[in-house]
Amino acid sequence: MNKKDELNVAQKEAVLHTEGPLLIVAGAGAGKTKTLTARIASLIASGTPGESILAVTFTNKAAKEMRERVAALISADQSGSMPFVGTFHSLGVRLIRDNSEKLGVTRHFTILDEEDARSIIKDSLISRGLDPKQFEPRKIKAIISRNKSDFVTREQFAEKTSSYIEEVTHAVWEEYEARKKRENSLDFDDLLLLPTLLLKSDAFVREQYQRLWRHVHVDEYQDTNKVQYTLVTLLAEKHKNICVVGDSDQNIYSWRGANIENILRFERDYPGAKVVLLEENYRSTKTIIEAANEVIKKNAVRIPKNLFTNNKEGEKISLFEAWNEEDEARFVARTADRLIQEGAQPNNITVLYRANFQSRVLEEAFLMANVPYQVLGTKFFDRKEIKDVISYIKAALNRESLADVKRIINTPARGIGKTTIAKLFANQFGELPATMQKKINGFYAVLAEIKEAVETTKPSEAIKFLIKKTGIEEVLATGSEEDKERLENIKELVTLATRYDPLEGMEGVEKLLEDAALASEQDSLEEKKEKIGVKLMTVHTSKGLEFPHVFVVGLEQGLFPHDRMDTQKTKDEDEEERRLFYVALTRAREKVYLSWANMRTIFGMKQVNTPSEFLYDIPEQLIERKEREHENEFGGKVIYLD
């Protein structure tokens, strides 16, 4: 083992504790993957057969990295048998295939993606005499998925239904399961729910896997939901050789069902469990670590720890106060450009934001500054909801644009199926039933109203009218958190459209459509070029990544921490927002740039902001305030030193 691979005292303690329950509380950048893989290799080196070790994590990338590290640590004469290292879902597939007959599927069952699953939900609604326009398939699927994640079966759900939407969901769920059974298919949630139910109910099967996997390892334990928690608890029940690694300060996925209680209650679940704190950070400078510690210590629900590092002191954290979001974006793009000119690799720079809609103005600034960039996730004009709105405008102005009509004729759902659309496009409208003709006439009537709005009002007002008239706003506002984020993205399109409002007549909307098309084309960069660009992503997407230079933008009260559009935040949500900011800070190795805008246009309305409460948590001595550098109309630079 070379110097780089040596373990510190706490890491060694975790590696050498091989019998009984073990909780490794691993701070950001504290070498948790190194510790976990070293522990697995140590077990094998001491004579534990590789096949008796199980290690599960959340992403294919993390599982691949863990497998490769374990293989590299095991010498050739020890590599007769490898442990099972994979994601929770790959473990579920293994258990289902092993027990397919008991579970009523063949070994070659189909795994449905989200689109396929929603399509079956839609068919299930129709077969039960329900209107998919009234009961959106996406929302029904989200309710079913959340219950499965909470280890609630359809039968248990039926016992607790207390509203009409829950009764509808139960009826559709029943039909959904029947259709999947006929098609020999399972959805992603089934991959965890079915094997967990089997292990719980069948003592023979449970004992079989408890004998097989005598040592169970779980990565990112703070992100486990109820069904994942139950699955690993059942597997470790006999020998209690369970090692979990996690950090309560990085629990940021409660909206996906992750339950922070799972890691907090570990010592109650396993009395006498060994607890090891990995507090030495190998990633960041002392300045960044001190700031992160000060931010997170305000949270009450956590396992106390205090990160430290032997790295250099490092630069102060830069704070920029922008006039508005465009001023902020220019600051980020110019600073990134300067870093690149000074020798930084573009892909060593990342820009983090709280909500997806924030990427639009950043992309624009990077294009203007001619700085290569890559949006992790979907680019603004490539997002489905943005394309839908643009298609509505284009179809309203040109009904012969069949691609646009096809895209939006059933968005939101109007019960107009593919066969009907095919007949409509084949000029067989007269052959359709009267009820279907009425639906199609209703759709074209909506297009006519949108056309009038586009021709007679400003672009931003026309889009506001469009999303209300079509029902898009209502559907997204009452949907899942994902739907509400889509609505935020559409509202950002309204904000963008205000730029075109001063233009005369139809010129504004024509220019908007032209720019949207060109932006979409510009975004389709070659894969080779994308890899060398500055990374733009949400903080959620950045989890598990690290960069030398990190920008965190939009640090305004109401945006980060983020306020829900329709509900008051709970104490738990407040703490999760703080954990999210902690994750953002600890992505950085060398330098952090924070910024906020005095004014931000949201849904076409200018909003005056106050700085995020998180900014006040960072000690003043760790911060340097960046002065505004602005180009004047003659191209020269004016530096304000107020």
Side-chain angles (χ1 to χ4, degrees):
M1 205 180 251
N2 62 37
K3 188 92 176 155
K4 185 182 171 187
D5 294 326
E6 285 179 4
L7 301 170
N8 65 33
V9 173
Q11 290 169 338
K12 279 180 187 170
E13 191 180 358
V15 166
L16 297 175
H17 181 83
T18 56
E19 295 297 319
L22 170 65
L23 168 62
I24 304 173
V25 181
K32 72 176 179 66
T33 305
K34 180 169 98 170
T35 305
L36 200 56
T37 51
R39 187 177 193 276
I40 292 169
S42 177
L43 280 168
I44 294 172
S46 63
T48 302
E51 68 267 19
S52 71
I53 299 170
L54 170 70
V56 285
T57 187
F58 281 83
T59 66
N60 289 321
K61 180 187 171 189
K64 181 173 180 284
E65 182 185 357
M66 205 183 296
R67 272 195 300 271
E68 288 172 351
R69 287 204 196 187
V70 169
L73 289 171
I74 300 172
S75 63
D77 60 332
Q78 294 170 338
S79 59
S81 62
M82 281 288 288
F84 182 100
V85 180
T87 63
F88 273 101
H89 287 96
S90 66
L91 171 62
V93 170
R94 157 80 185 268
L95 295 173
I96 291 169
R97 289 210 168 115
D98 284 354
N99 301 278
S100 55
E101 202 171 311
K102 284 177 182 273
L103 292 168
V105 294
T106 72
R107 278 185 59 83
H108 305 292
F109 59 87
T110 298
I111 300 172
L112 300 169
D113 63 21
E114 281 300 299
E115 192 175 339
D116 291 336
R118 284 198 297 269
S119 178
I120 296 177
I121 294 280
K122 183 181 175 183
D123 291 342
S124 301
L125 277 161
I126 294 167
S127 74
R128 292 282 174 148
L130 297 163
D131 184 1
K133 185 180 176 184
Q134 184 181 359
F135 303 102
E136 218 228 324
R138 186 188 300 276
K139 186 188 279 190
I140 299 291
K141 174 67 174 63
I143 295 171
I144 293 172
S145 180
R146 187 57 187 261
N147 275 278
K148 286 182 177 180
S149 295
D150 288 341
F151 201 40
V152 175
T153 64
R154 181 178 58 79
E155 293 78 13
Q156 291 166 333
F157 180 76
E159 292 171 9
K160 64 170 190 170
T161 54
S162 58
S163 65
Y164 182 54
I165 186 65
E166 288 181 341
E167 289 173 8
V168 167
T169 299
H170 175 253
V172 173
W173 191 346
E174 188 173 41
E175 181 68 23
Y176 175 58
E177 295 300 333
R179 284 171 180 259
K180 282 192 298 162
K181 191 172 180 63
R182 287 199 295 272
E183 295 175 17
N184 190 40
S185 61
L186 301 174
D187 63 27
F188 284 119
D189 301 305
D190 294 329
L191 301 183
L192 299 178
L193 180 65
L194 292 185
T196 306
L197 287 169
L198 180 65
L199 289 172
K200 192 173 176 66
S201 63
D202 192 318
F204 176 78
V205 172
R206 184 168 66 249
E207 195 171 326
Q208 176 188 343
Y209 288 105
Q210 288 171 349
R211 281 200 310 270
L212 173 61
W213 291 314
R214 297 175 64 90
H215 292 271
V216 176
H217 299 76
V218 188
D219 190 20
E220 303 285 12
Y221 196 61
Q222 78 281 349
D223 291 335
T224 53
N225 59 27
K226 181 70 181 292
V227 73
Q228 290 161 335
Y229 164 83
T230 308
L231 175 60
V232 295
T233 301
L234 288 167
L235 289 173
E237 189 178 53
K238 185 179 180 68
H239 300 289
K240 302 287 193 296
N241 290 329
I242 180 169
C243 167
V244 304
V245 186
D247 181 6
S248 57
D249 293 336
Q250 295 187 69
N251 171 267
I252 59 172
Y253 295 115
S254 66
W255 49 279
R256 288 202 313 219
N259 187 354
I260 195 171
E261 262 304 305
N262 293 347
I263 192 166
L264 297 178
R265 65 183 284 179
F266 187 82
E267 291 174 85
R268 296 200 303 274
D269 288 342
Y270 301 95
K274 174 86 170 172
V275 179
V276 176
L277 300 182
L278 301 186
E279 297 175 294
E280 182 172 358
N281 175 284
Y282 293 92
R283 175 187 301 159
S284 309
T285 64
K286 284 185 170 71
T287 297
I288 293 168
I289 293 304
E290 186 180 345
N293 281 337
E294 288 298 314
V295 166
I296 202 62
K297 74 180 186 183
K298 284 199 167 183
N299 271 6
V301 182
R302 63 189 293 255
I303 299 170
K305 67 177 186 313
N306 198 57
L307 283 185
F308 70 92
T309 184
N310 289 313
N311 291 339
K312 63 185 180 182
E313 197 72 36
E315 295 183 53
K316 288 188 175 184
I317 292 170
S318 292
L319 176 61
F320 181 70
E321 178 183 342
W323 289 322
N324 56 28
E325 68 268 32
E326 291 171 346
D327 187 31
E328 178 185 53
R330 282 194 297 269
F331 162 75
V332 172
R334 286 172 178 165
T335 306
D337 187 37
R338 187 175 298 121
L339 288 169
I340 293 165
Q341 299 307 321
E342 291 170 358
Q345 290 297 314
N347 60 344
N348 282 336
I349 304 169
T350 190
V351 185
L352 306 181
Y353 36 83
R354 177 62 183 82
N356 267 311
F357 77 81
Q358 292 171 261
S359 75
R360 195 270 305 168
V361 71
L362 289 162
E363 290 179 63
E364 199 169 74
F366 274 86
L367 285 169
M368 290 293 290
N370 200 28
V371 176
Y373 72 92
Q374 176 188 9
V375 180
L376 269 70
T378 311
K379 298 174 184 66
F380 185 76
F381 281 107
D382 283 345
R383 294 190 174 111
K384 178 188 181 298
E385 59 274 15
I386 302 301
K387 283 187 166 185
D388 289 345
V389 173
I390 296 293
S391 281
Y392 260 110
I393 298 172
K394 286 156 66 179
L397 295 174
N398 176 20
R399 293 193 183 190
E400 302 307 311
S401 178
L402 297 185
D404 289 309
V405 171
K406 184 178 180 181
R407 179 178 187 89
I408 46 100
I409 195 168
N410 217 30
T411 303
R414 295 183 175 89
I416 301 172
K418 291 179 182 177
T419 306
T420 300
I421 294 170
K423 285 190 174 181
L424 178 66
F425 288 176
N427 295 317
Q428 296 171 354
F429 177 78
E431 297 176 20
L432 295 169
T435 53
M436 193 55 69
Q437 288 185 18
K438 186 178 178 182
K439 286 181 181 179
I440 291 169
N441 285 333
F443 165 71
Y444 280 112
V446 168
L447 285 188
E449 289 189 60
I450 293 170
K451 184 173 189 282
E452 184 181 355
V454 168
E455 290 174 341
T456 59
T457 65
K458 296 174 180 177
S460 63
E461 294 301 321
I463 295 174
K464 286 182 183 180
F465 172 81
L466 182 162
I467 63 173
K468 191 173 288 292
K469 185 66 187 178
T470 58
I472 289 174
E473 184 176 38
E474 184 183 356
V475 166
L476 295 181
T478 58
S480 64
E481 288 303 321
E482 197 177 317
D483 291 328
K484 287 168 187 170
E485 186 170 292
R486 287 192 174 92
L487 184 56
E488 283 186 342
N489 290 335
I490 293 173
K491 288 183 174 184
E492 176 64 9
L493 180 62
V494 174
T495 296
L496 171 63
T498 58
R499 184 182 303 172
Y500 303 86
D501 286 351
L503 297 175
E504 292 291 326
M506 290 288 291
E507 191 183 346
V509 77
E510 286 166 357
K511 190 77 171 73
L512 170 62
L513 294 176
E514 179 188 329
D515 288 353
L518 291 175
S520 188
E521 188 177 319
Q522 174 67 48
D523 287 340
S524 302
L525 301 171
E526 293 174 29
E527 184 66 17
K528 194 181 291 183
K529 288 181 183 174
E530 282 195 339
K531 286 181 179 174
I532 62 165
V534 175
K535 304 292 188 288
L536 277 58
M537 68 187 89
T538 64
V539 184
H540 282 101
T541 303
S542 75
K543 177 89 184 304
L545 304 176
E546 57 182 77
F547 301 87
H549 310 279
V550 172
F551 292 82
V552 187
V553 301
L555 281 161
E556 298 128 35
Q557 204 63 19
L559 182 54
F560 197 1
H562 198 62
D563 283 342
R564 302 290 175 215
M565 288 186 289
D566 55 345
T567 56
Q568 189 73 26
K569 276 216 309 284
T570 64
K571 175 71 174 166
D572 287 345
E573 287 170 334
D574 277 334
E575 293 213 348
E576 183 153 336
E577 286 295 309
R578 186 172 291 279
R579 292 195 292 269
L580 197 57
F581 183 55
Y582 173 81
V583 166
L585 285 177
T586 53
R587 297 312 91 200
R589 294 206 293 264
E590 297 172 16
K591 176 73 176 177
V592 174
Y593 299 85
L594 306 177
S595 61
W596 69 283
N598 278 282
M599 192 173 292
R600 189 176 295 273
T601 308
I602 294 179
F603 201 24
M605 301 291 290
K606 291 192 186 303
Q607 185 172 294
V608 178
N609 302 310
T610 55
S612 168
E613 64 190 80
F614 302 147
L615 294 176
Y616 297 108
D617 297 329
I618 300 174
E620 190 65 33
Q621 69 269 20
L622 301 182
I623 289 177
E624 60 171 5
R625 296 178 187 275
K626 301 298 286 184
E627 303 299 343
R628 178 169 288 99
E629 188 180 274
H630 185 65
E631 288 186 4
N632 65 28
E633 60 184 319
F634 303 108
K637 290 184 177 176
V638 180
I639 300 178
Y640 297 85
L641 298 170
D642 47 21

